[in-house]
Amino acid sequence: MAEARLGVAFQFQVTEEGIIVNFDRNALKFVGRAIVKSAKRRVKGAKKAILKRSFPATPATWILLVAALSAARYSEHETTVGVLGKVERGLPWSHSLDPKTVIAVAVLVCATILWMLIGHIQQFILRSLLQYKAFLYEPRGKLSAKTKCVLGLVKLLGGKNPTLYSYEKSLPYLPVPDLDATMKRYLESVRPVLCEERFKEMEKLAEDFKNGLGKRLQRYLVWKSWWSTNYISDWWQQYVYLQSREPLMINSNYYGVDAVEVPSPIQSARAANTIHALFLYRKQILKEKLEPQFAMGIIPLCSEQFRKTFGTTRIPLKTQDHLHHHGSSNHAVIYHRGRFFRLHGYHRGVLLKPADLERQIVKILEDESKPVPGEELLPALTTADRNLWAETRSTYFSRGVNKQSLDCIEQAAFFLNLEDLEMNYGEEESEDMDTLCRYLIHGNGHSCWFDKSFSTYIFKNGRFGLTAEHSWADAPIISHLGETVLVEDFHFLGYKEDGHCKGEPEFVLPPPPRLQWDIPEKCVSIIETCQKNAEKLISDLDLHVLAHTAFGKGAIKKMKVSPDAFIQMGLQLSYFKDQEHFSLSYESSMTRLFREGRTETVRPLTMEACAFVRSMRNPAATKSERKELFIKAAEGHVNNFKRAMSGEGVDRHLFGLYVVSKYLEEDSPFLKEALKEPWKLSTSQTATQQTKRIDYDKNPAIKNRLKTAGGGFGPVADDGYGVSYIIAGEDTIFFHITAKVSSTKTDCKRFSKTVQESFAEIKALFDE
């Protein structure tokens, strides 16, 4: 008897009696839903592709084809091999129309078909080229001939002036990794943290999973990858973020700080320039004029996450939140001294200039009205447990004036807080920096609307900062926004000598209207409780910012080591010193080389990293031995990072398998054990110089003025560290270190000192 399988839904058995067909009901449901969902998305995507001109063949190409075919039709030497004539004769209404009209219609039809065909062929070729990932593993200055050829073709087919979403249809889909390879890499990654007996247990569980349930779950995952643009991103957003019921503040949001220099100490002027720059950035996204990002300056990164930058709010609902996107909003909501104001960014369809916006901001600052009961602490609801906030929203904010005002906030392009506090920081490590960053991640519990895609702060002395909600996009998108806004503010808009916005107001505008509220006493009581709970969360956050100025990227590059690998190995050494044991470590890597890609986990703790760390703690180890082990560990980390970028990571694959197992109501002991281990050391690097709005090499002065300390996030584990870092220049690296005050095992300042010691010890290995 022979057996063959088709997909995961049907099983065919060929017997002597004939062909027997069996089907899996769960599989049919799974596949059916995937097909329907995919079909809807593809129809919607095709519509957008035409309306937004995202085919590789541009409208200019179509016009050129129309002109060429028209010339061919009327020339004495007809060059369409009779195709136009056949189309003319084949038109059903050709006999009832004027001959010239028939010819014109035939030309348009042929040109359109040919244009779309060229676009799809070009798109197919480009997608095939972009599946090539060998360039990641080759030294930047020693690319192979094949890689140079691929990069050249990508640049040629990409066109001269690509728009923001030009490449979206051409990006390859994220592949489902091989199950055997994932099992092998997973076991390698946990070997350093498991004892011999525990590791053998995990080996047995992995083997059973790989040869049993894992095969079935893998088939489902592969099937989903055929029908979706990204097999994991939608589940990642849904199950990791939107279904989480924990408060967003500290647990989910992340923050970014201003440049070290403050261009204007006047709050109203800085706010006006910032608002104008934000609306300009939004306009670039809507018109797709924002330049897409590239790896190596040639390979495009997915731009999908930019779509929801503005006008997006995470709406609290029971069991699962919903991302509401209102892309046409032309207003921002300003929060000042417990009151909410609606500020229009446009007047009569024209974007207001900074001078007009500054006058509007001054009117808000001078408004002496008082908040109504419950209004001042109202944002504390967005820091609450999501079910509590959902119930409160449904009960008290679903009708009347409260609904109108809440709609205004949730549909706003962004939320901005004019703070009465003054904030300062410099290039050196200080309490001022810690205070600023603590405020940006949590404020006072009611200083920002945590549901918004991002919220901005303008402090009394002109200092700028922002915090972002995590479900809709990852930190590189917000850091791109922050960097672009700073470039616009510092370099293009600027200020007068007295610190006010340049130019003069053009319009006489009414004061920004206040949002109205009618909050019942019961709701006020709930809001006050949310505020108290928020303050408890705030009091449990330990945060310290380390400004490492002993050396930076310049010195590390002289060692011929990847700066990121140097930092990661330094963090492993620091963590071992601090905790006296190894723990699972997380570093975020992007998968935006693929369509709708988000992140993947790099596991920096490897056997090579452990060997290096132990050598540094072993007095008998020689300097050359330690150096050799460090280089080996660093090279291994770089390769792991590249594998994660190439879609060959471990964690998103395991997560996808887990989701399928839950859908099928199948219990997997292996997946339970594999996914329950906490990340005691969670790390991420903040990118710099992402925008090409200016040429940094030709403008070193503005490059120095835009020097920033980056940003950070809260701790992932109760007794672990969250570490975000930014390579701020040739001689400076900023580290944002977070932990929980309630943990007796962690201390941010202690860890900060250990980092400095460890970095100095590693650098000494390379000193002559």
Side-chain angles (χ1 to χ4, degrees):
M1 182 176 64
E3 179 178 286
R5 293 179 184 272
L6 178 63
V8 294
F10 297 93
Q11 291 182 355
F12 296 86
Q13 287 184 325
V14 181
T15 66
E16 294 177 359
E17 299 175 355
I19 298 175
I20 301 174
V21 182
N22 300 315
F23 64 89
D24 184 333
R25 288 182 180 275
N26 285 330
L28 284 177
K29 288 181 183 178
F30 183 88
V31 171
R33 290 178 183 176
I35 292 174
V36 171
K37 187 175 180 181
S38 175
K40 287 180 179 178
R41 293 181 69 180
R42 288 175 186 274
V43 169
K44 188 176 180 181
K47 182 180 176 182
K48 282 186 177 180
I50 295 171
L51 295 177
K52 296 292 186 180
R53 311 183 306 279
S54 57
F55 282 114
T58 63
T61 311
W62 180 80
I63 294 172
L64 188 64
L65 285 171
V66 171
L69 290 176
S70 299
R73 176 64 181 81
Y74 289 105
S75 66
E76 294 182 2
H77 306 285
E78 215 273 316
T79 57
T80 62
V81 201
V83 173
L84 272 174
K86 290 180 181 179
V87 173
E88 290 172 20
R89 293 189 295 275
L91 290 174
W93 56 83
S94 59
H95 62 281
S96 60
L97 293 176
D98 178 71
K100 291 184 178 179
T101 304
V102 172
I103 292 172
V105 172
V107 166
L108 290 174
V109 170
C110 286
T112 301
I113 292 173
L114 185 58
W115 175 71
M116 294 184 73
L117 185 62
I118 290 172
H120 282 293
I121 292 172
Q122 187 178 1
Q123 202 175 83
F124 175 78
I125 295 172
L126 191 55
R127 183 183 292 119
S128 300
L129 291 170
L130 292 176
Q131 288 175 340
Y132 180 80
K133 296 292 184 293
F135 72 91
L136 289 171
Y137 299 91
E138 297 176 0
R140 184 68 65 91
K142 299 180 181 179
L143 298 177
S144 65
K146 182 179 180 181
T147 297
K148 289 179 180 178
C149 181
V150 169
L151 295 180
L153 288 171
V154 168
K155 193 168 185 178
L156 178 67
L157 293 173
K160 285 187 75 174
N161 299 302
T163 61
L164 181 59
Y165 305 120
S166 288
Y167 293 98
E168 293 305 286
K169 298 288 183 182
S170 303
L171 288 173
Y173 293 173
L174 182 67
V176 179
D178 178 71
L179 185 61
D180 290 350
T182 295
M183 293 296 101
K184 181 183 176 183
R185 290 181 190 131
Y186 168 76
L187 290 172
E188 288 174 352
S189 72
V190 298
R191 186 68 187 88
V193 296
L194 298 180
C195 65
E196 193 66 31
E197 182 180 350
R198 181 79 178 116
F199 182 70
K200 286 182 179 179
E201 289 178 7
M202 287 307 298
E203 274 188 317
K204 179 67 167 57
L205 289 174
E207 188 69 19
D208 292 344
F209 177 77
K210 182 177 68 174
N211 296 325
L213 177 62
K215 287 185 177 180
R216 185 182 176 205
L217 301 182
Q218 178 78 352
R219 288 199 300 269
Y220 278 84
L221 211 53
V222 170
W223 184 267
K224 181 176 187 285
S225 74
W226 294 348
W227 292 99
S228 58
T229 49
N230 190 295
Y231 82 91
I232 200 66
S233 287
D234 56 340
W235 284 351
W236 187 253
Q237 182 183 82
Q238 179 182 355
Y239 296 114
V240 173
Y241 293 115
L242 298 181
Q243 283 197 5
S244 172
R245 302 292 86 193
E246 285 190 321
L248 300 184
M249 185 184 73
I250 299 175
N251 296 312
S252 179
N253 68 316
Y254 53 93
Y255 64 89
V257 303
D258 197 4
V260 174
E261 179 185 331
V262 178
S264 172
I266 300 175
Q267 185 179 27
S268 59
R270 189 79 198 278
N273 265 14
T274 300
I275 292 169
H276 182 81
L278 285 168
F279 274 113
L280 276 179
Y281 188 83
R282 173 178 169 271
K283 184 178 180 180
Q284 286 183 301
I285 292 176
L286 291 176
K287 293 187 175 294
E288 301 182 15
K289 297 297 184 183
L290 194 66
E291 185 175 10
Q293 294 176 286
F294 299 90
M296 299 181 65
I298 297 173
I299 304 297
L301 303 182
C302 180
S303 300
E304 183 63 29
Q305 293 180 60
F306 283 98
R307 292 186 193 274
K308 293 181 179 174
T309 306
F310 293 88
T312 300
T313 304
R314 178 170 168 172
I315 306 297
L317 298 173
K318 286 292 184 71
T319 70
Q320 179 176 311
D321 292 351
H322 167 68
L323 282 180
H324 175 71
H325 179 60
H326 200 277
S328 60
S329 300
N330 285 333
H331 73 276
V333 168
I334 311 297
Y335 181 75
H336 177 58
R337 292 180 184 170
R339 304 154 307 163
F340 298 82
F341 297 84
R342 178 178 184 137
L343 177 69
H344 291 277
Y346 289 76
H347 181 66
R348 296 174 184 171
V350 178
L351 177 60
L352 292 175
K353 292 184 178 179
D356 287 295
L357 290 167
E358 183 177 5
R359 179 181 283 182
Q360 294 297 88
I361 295 295
V362 169
K363 291 174 183 177
I364 293 174
L365 293 172
E366 293 178 348
D367 189 304
E368 296 181 356
S369 60
K370 302 296 181 184
V372 300
E375 182 180 9
E376 182 177 3
L377 301 181
L378 184 62
L381 287 170
T382 65
T383 71
D385 170 89
R386 300 306 289 175
N387 284 340
L388 173 61
W389 175 206
E391 185 179 346
T392 305
R393 184 178 183 276
S394 174
T395 305
Y396 300 105
F397 297 91
S398 59
R399 65 188 67 84
V401 67
N402 287 346
K403 183 182 187 306
Q404 294 174 11
S405 294
L406 184 61
D407 285 348
C408 182
I409 295 173
E410 292 178 343
Q411 294 174 10
F414 54 90
F415 186 92
L416 185 143
N417 182 356
L418 295 170
E419 267 290 355
D420 276 344
L421 298 172
E422 292 190 1
M423 291 288 178
N424 295 287
Y425 83 87
E427 296 186 38
E428 302 297 327
E429 193 172 345
S430 69
E431 287 294 334
D432 286 342
M433 173 70 88
D434 294 353
T435 301
L436 170 62
C437 292
R438 284 195 193 98
Y439 205 84
L440 291 176
I441 195 171
H442 56 57
N444 54 18
H446 62 270
S447 55
C448 94
W449 202 266
F450 288 96
D451 291 351
K452 293 298 292 181
S453 53
F454 71 93
S455 299
T456 58
Y457 289 91
I458 303 294
F459 295 96
K460 194 171 184 179
N461 57 338
R463 176 68 67 194
F464 162 80
L466 54 81
T467 184
E469 201 276 316
H470 209 158
S471 65
W472 65 278
D474 302 305
I477 305 303
I478 284 295
S479 63
H480 185 279
L481 175 147
E483 183 181 338
T484 306
V485 167
L486 290 178
V487 168
E488 197 72 36
D489 184 15
F490 278 73
H491 189 63
F492 293 100
L493 297 176
Y495 300 87
K496 297 178 183 176
E497 291 184 3
D498 61 2
H500 288 283
C501 294
K502 290 183 176 179
E504 298 298 328
E506 294 184 3
F507 304 105
V508 178
L509 302 170
R514 265 191 67 181
L515 302 189
Q516 301 301 308
W517 306 96
D518 181 15
I519 305 174
E521 287 186 16
K522 281 188 177 181
C523 185
V524 171
S525 178
I526 294 172
I527 292 170
E528 290 172 349
T529 301
C530 291
Q531 174 64 26
K532 290 176 183 177
N533 291 336
E535 289 170 1
K536 290 178 184 177
L537 288 174
I538 290 169
S539 65
D540 195 30
L541 179 69
D542 183 18
L543 185 152
H544 179 64
V545 181
L546 164 64
H548 184 272
T549 55
F551 61 90
K553 180 173 65 175
I556 297 172
K557 283 190 172 180
K558 288 179 182 178
M559 303 174 200
K560 297 182 180 179
V561 176
S562 157
D564 184 71
F566 181 98
I567 292 170
Q568 285 294 332
M569 294 306 104
L571 289 174
Q572 288 302 321
L573 177 57
S574 303
Y575 185 85
F576 189 83
K577 286 181 179 180
D578 188 80
Q579 299 292 310
E580 298 183 349
H581 63 80
F582 294 111
S583 291
L584 279 184
S585 303
Y586 177 108
E587 181 186 6
S588 179
S589 165
M590 63 92 174
T591 55
R592 289 172 60 203
L593 291 170
F594 301 93
R595 191 168 176 190
E596 294 184 20
R598 290 199 59 166
T599 61
E600 177 57 276
T601 303
V602 183
R603 296 183 170 219
L605 182 65
T606 60
M607 293 301 291
E608 293 80 9
C610 290
F612 158 68
V613 170
R614 288 195 176 100
S615 75
M616 296 296 287
R617 305 295 287 167
N618 180 9
T622 65
K623 181 177 179 179
S624 60
E625 289 172 344
R626 291 170 175 174
K627 182 178 178 180
E628 184 180 345
L629 288 171
F630 170 78
I631 292 173
K632 187 176 180 181
E635 289 175 349
H637 176 75
V638 170
N639 287 331
N640 286 340
F641 199 99
K642 290 174 179 177
R643 274 198 289 268
M645 288 180 65
S646 302
E648 298 175 12
V650 170
D651 292 272
R652 299 303 176 267
H653 187 198
L654 291 180
F655 175 76
L657 294 170
Y658 179 75
V659 172
V660 176
S661 74
K662 286 298 180 184
Y663 179 84
L664 297 178
E665 298 181 352
E666 295 278 5
D667 187 51
S668 169
F670 167 73
L671 290 175
K672 273 187 180 178
E673 293 297 316
L675 296 175
K676 78 176 185 181
E677 286 293 328
W679 302 103
K680 297 291 185 68
L681 179 61
S682 183
T683 70
S684 180
Q685 181 179 175
T686 302
T688 59
Q689 298 183 29
Q690 295 190 82
T691 176
K692 292 184 179 179
R693 188 81 170 87
I694 61 168
D695 188 329
Y696 286 101
D697 293 331
K698 294 181 180 179
N699 295 274
I702 191 66
K703 180 179 176 181
N704 291 330
R705 293 184 69 198
L706 291 172
K707 188 174 184 179
T708 173
F713 54 89
V716 174
D718 289 341
D719 54 354
Y721 290 108
V723 181
S724 177
Y725 53 93
I726 181 171
I727 301 172
E730 295 298 308
D731 56 2
T732 306
I733 306 171
F734 285 102
F735 293 86
H736 297 248
I737 305 167
T738 59
K740 290 196 173 182
V741 173
S742 56
S743 172
T744 58
K745 298 179 180 180
T746 56
D747 184 291
C748 291
K749 288 189 176 179
R750 182 185 73 205
F751 189 71
S752 169
K753 291 178 182 177
T754 309
V755 169
Q756 295 184 81
E757 291 172 3
S758 299
F759 279 29
E761 290 172 8
I762 297 174
K763 184 177 181 296
L765 299 178
F766 292 83
D767 291 341
E768 294 297 333

